[in-house]
Amino acid sequence: MTSTDIYILAIESSCDDTGAAVLCNGKVLSNVVANQEIHTKYGGVVPELASRAHQQNIVPVVHQALAQANIDKNQLNAIAFTQGPGLMGSLLVGTSFAKAFAQGLNIPLLAVNHMHAHILAHFIDDDLQTKPEFPFLAMTISGGHTQIVKVESYFNMTVIGETIDDAIGEAFDKSAKILGLPYPGGPLIDKKATLGNPKAFEFPKPKAPDLNFSFSGLKTAVLYFVQKKLKENPNFIEENINDVCASLQHTIIGIVIDKLKKATKTTGIKRIAIGGGVSANSGIRKALLDGEQKYGWTTYIPKFEYTTDNAAMIGIVGYLKYLEKDFSNEQTTANARFKI
Ligand code: KG4
Ligand code: ZN
């Protein structure tokens, strides 16, 4: 520990996970996440319940992050928080907390774009991660976002493709719901897919222009397919769940890889970094690694805990902004539609 060490407390509350992390010079000292179980029984995130749960969780989560990092709040140099995009009620809890805490400690406030954070999570100092070289393509895939971003430097990035309807995580979660699986269904589909035949059934690949994505048609196709099969055999789901999951996952992987091939071709950039909850998917990870051999890609897959929504990724962006002295003022507000 030296006097030049920069300690940042980061807060994440954009959706249904309440996160707090402490970073020292870009290294994670603690990274605490409280997941909100309440949404499981509703089959998706209920915004009103999410904000209430954030309000309950935020103080204990921050206490835990400081305790795990073995840091006293008076040692902090700045507070970073997720300004957006996300659910307004959820963002307001983190934003208000961060502003009040920074005021109370008389230290600067750092407003962070959640999508920057998913991308810059690759720059967290961690022996198990490799930092991508600029320029690179970042694909952020989660329950709320699906984007391909051209990243030229830490804060110079351009969205070159995104979903025109549902996010990729919704395609997983909504299809899972149709199959009677609990929320969030993505990890369950992934697990069952490993036991099934990816060629058993065929689902249509939606046609979105350029580098954009479309997933709402796939969910509808799964619904009609399951309804039809159930008419023929009421036990269809139980008897074929692994094959349906494998085939669906195979289709989604195909969509992702096709777009990445197109993106590398149009930009000439072959370095690909992924982020967001869906990048935990074992099939997508494998397909990306296969791309190294097949297409000459260099791929960067973050450590699992920096992949789903977490505060450590907010902290690294906060740290980079701190070095630039890019502080936000006391009138900063949450921005549910904050663009990259
Ligand atoms: O990044 P994240 O934690 O929160 C959002 O910002 O949405 O991502 C959550 C999403 C959910 O849709 C979940 O089903 C999906 O990530 N997910 C997965 C897997 N693990 C999480 N989808 C497919 N395969 C997985 N292994
Ligand atoms: Zn996210």
Side-chain angles (χ1 to χ4, degrees), residues 114 118 142 145 309 313:
H114 181 88
H118 271 302
S142 78
H145 8 264
D309 284 353
M313 68 180 192

Side-chain angles (χ1 to χ4, degrees), residues 289-302:
L289 291 173
D290 288 350
E292 298 206 336
Q293 297 278 320
K294 277 192 190 160
Y295 315 118
W297 296 346
T298 307
T299 59
Y300 303 86
I301 301 178

